């Protein structure tokens, strides 16, 4: 190939030619370096003009372009690894990876994380509580008048699922379909305080020992194991499944469930703002589960959980996983911190991607969260084979891609998601 003066140059000279072109452009007073993709296009055009006076064929120009490195080439968006995401969600996920590569984040975990290990989500937990309550109420008042009075200081003795018949289950589901905070409070009013804690713990863990692992828990543990990537974990669940998984991975952590607890040096703080029920026994903490509990939490000025949460939201980007983003107290604290926080937070939420009505509702919900400085990452749900329940298997895959992109920015552009690891 020849340049415009008829001198020959080879493909190996292309890097030098690129440096010459850039240096000449740099001497121009009005030149500003373009983005990498735009600069790549500019270089192609410059090389074309260098070759065209010699009568070089278009094939020669194309061959010249293939000599260039492809790292700056313009690529399709969303990238292949997250091609199933909508563009706003893909952009939010890539933005989260850039923030994570620059510093630590705080993880906010909801019931979806524990549900991945076989524990009940919020609504299912309430149905179990209602079923046990009605079973005891029916047993105590089966010979009473047709409309018995509400029980007081009810003692809980039976909680196993085999004690429940289908009629009782349907009654519990129908009753639990209302306001969950109000329904929980109405039942709590009728049970002895000591039995209330016993009941919640028993229906939470059930008769079968829940596994302390899942693909989602594995990816969260991997993220926590990265040095200086997770400053703290705010776990709104009662259970100790996450702590068990962290312990199995050899990670040091400190459970913070009251203001007197101070995290140990070189350990990961794990806050439980709503209380803590350790499997096998542990500290007795106040459980935030009923309407009265939420009202007290919201109206106690400068309560320790709110101070800690607002401090995290105001100073560190936060990642919401398994959280519905509908908790009124969390939204209140997000609104409060949004006036002080210059950064964005990120929330993984399932998306229906089906009916237009569902997409419109999700768009409104996401727009409201954006006002609270939360960018939503909507992932696609699928149905399990032979099961009507939703499959959230895409969520741990996205966390795996997020971790890979933190170390290698080109991980997005691979043809498939990186293989998940449980390191």
């Amino acid at each position: 190939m020849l340049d415009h003066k008829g001198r020959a140059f080879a493909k190996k000279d292309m890097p030098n030619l690129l440096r010459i072109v850039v240096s000449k452009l740099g001497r121009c007073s009005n030149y500003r370096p373009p983005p990498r993709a735009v600069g790549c296009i500019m270089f192609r055009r410059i090389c074309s003009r260098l070759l065209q006076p010699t009568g070089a064929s278009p094939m020669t120009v194309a061959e010249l372009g293939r000599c260039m490195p492809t790292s700056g080439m313009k690529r399709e968006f969303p990238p292949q690894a997250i091609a199933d995401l909508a563009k706003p969600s893909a952009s939010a996920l890539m933005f989260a990876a850039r923030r994570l590569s620059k510093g630590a984040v705080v993880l906010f975990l909801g019931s979806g994380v524990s549900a991945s290990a076989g524990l009940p989500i919020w609504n299912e937990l309430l149905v179990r509580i209602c079923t046990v309550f009605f079973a005891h109420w029916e047993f105590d008042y089966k010979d009473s008048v047709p409309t018995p009075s509400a029980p007081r200081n009810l003692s809980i003795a039976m909680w196993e699922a085999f004690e429940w018949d289908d009629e009782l289950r349907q009654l519990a589901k129908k009753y639990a379909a209302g306001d969950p905070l109000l329904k929980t409070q109405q039942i709590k009013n009728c049970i002895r305080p000591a039995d209330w804690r016993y009941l919640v713990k028993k229906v939470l863990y059930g008769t079968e020992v829940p596994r302390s692992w899942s693909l989602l828990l594995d990816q969260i543990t991997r993220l926590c194991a990265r040095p200086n990537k997770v400053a703290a974990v705010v776990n709104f669940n009662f259970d100790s499944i996450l702590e068990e998984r962290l312990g199995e991975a050899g990670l040091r952590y400190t459970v913070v469930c009251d203001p007197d607890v101070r995290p140990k040096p070189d350990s990961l703080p794990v806050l439980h703002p709503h209380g803590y029920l350790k499997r096998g026994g542990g500290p007795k903490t106040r459980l935030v589960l009923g309407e009265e509990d939420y009202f007290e939490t919201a109206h106690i000025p400068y309560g320790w959980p709110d101070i800690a949460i607002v401090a995290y939201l105001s100073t560190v980007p936060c990642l919401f996983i398994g959280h519905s983003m509908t908790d009124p107290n969390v939204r209140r604290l997000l609104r409060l911190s949004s006036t002080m926080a210059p950064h964005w937070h990120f929330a993984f939420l399932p998306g229906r991607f089906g009916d237009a009505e569902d997409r419109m509702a999700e768009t409104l919900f996401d727009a409201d969260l954006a006002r609270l400085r939360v960018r939503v990452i909507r992932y696609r749900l699928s149905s399990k084979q032979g099961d009507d329940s939703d499959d959230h298997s895409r969520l741990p895959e996205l966390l795996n891609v997020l971790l890979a992109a933190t170390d290698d920015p080109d991980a997005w552009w691979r043809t498939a998601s990186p293989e998940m690891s449980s390191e």
Side-chain angles (χ1 to χ4, degrees), residues 115-292:
S116 69
L119 293 181
I121 60 175
W122 167 261
N123 290 337
E124 176 60 26
L125 180 66
L126 178 56
V127 170
R128 294 185 183 184
I129 292 175
C130 292
T131 306
V132 175
F133 170 73
F134 284 120
H136 284 75
W137 192 7
E138 181 183 54
F139 180 80
D140 289 351
Y141 290 92
K142 59 183 178 180
D143 296 328
S144 61
V145 294
T147 307
S149 59
R152 298 176 59 184
N153 293 325
L154 190 66
S155 178
I156 302 298
M158 305 173 297
W159 55 271
E160 292 85 352
F162 63 80
E163 300 284 353
W164 311 339
D165 55 36
D166 292 338
E167 183 178 353
L168 202 59
R169 294 173 188 267
Q170 293 300 322
L171 174 62
K173 288 184 178 180
K174 182 179 179 180
Y175 182 79
D179 184 350
L181 293 180
L182 178 60
K183 300 300 183 181
T184 305
Q185 186 63 46
Q186 291 173 350
I187 294 177
K188 181 182 178 181
N189 295 337
C190 302
I191 300 176
R192 295 191 309 177
D195 287 66
W196 171 250
R197 184 180 184 86
Y198 170 83
L199 169 62
V200 174
K201 186 174 182 178
K202 290 299 184 180
V203 298
L204 175 63
Y205 290 108
T207 55
E208 298 182 359
V209 178
R211 60 183 185 273
S212 59
W213 61 270
S214 68
L215 290 176
L216 182 56
L217 277 172
D218 286 344
Q219 297 306 315
I220 293 173
T221 304
R222 287 183 60 208
L223 182 56
C224 293
R226 296 292 181 91
N228 303 319
K229 291 303 179 185
V230 178
V233 177
V234 180
N235 192 349
F236 291 94
N237 303 314
F238 302 134
D239 60 79
S240 59
I241 297 298
L242 174 65
E243 287 79 1
E244 294 173 13
R245 185 65 186 90
L246 293 176
E248 293 171 358
L251 301 180
R252 299 182 60 185
Y253 63 88
T254 301
V255 176
V256 181
C257 48
D258 63 68
D260 297 328
V261 177
R262 295 290 182 269
K264 299 177 182 178
D266 300 326
S267 68
L268 177 67
V270 181
L271 279 70
H272 283 266
H274 289 174
Y276 185 52
L277 285 172
K278 182 180 180 181
R279 179 163 55 177
K284 291 186 178 181
T285 63
R286 179 171 175 266
L287 302 180
V288 180
L289 189 57
E291 184 183 55
E292 183 179 349

Side-chain angles (χ1 to χ4, degrees), residues 9-27:
F9 63 88
K11 292 182 180 180
K12 65 180 181 179
D13 298 322
M14 295 309 301
N16 293 330
L17 177 61
L18 178 59
R19 283 194 290 269
I20 293 172
V21 172
V22 172
S23 64
K24 290 184 179 296
L25 287 175
R27 295 191 184 103

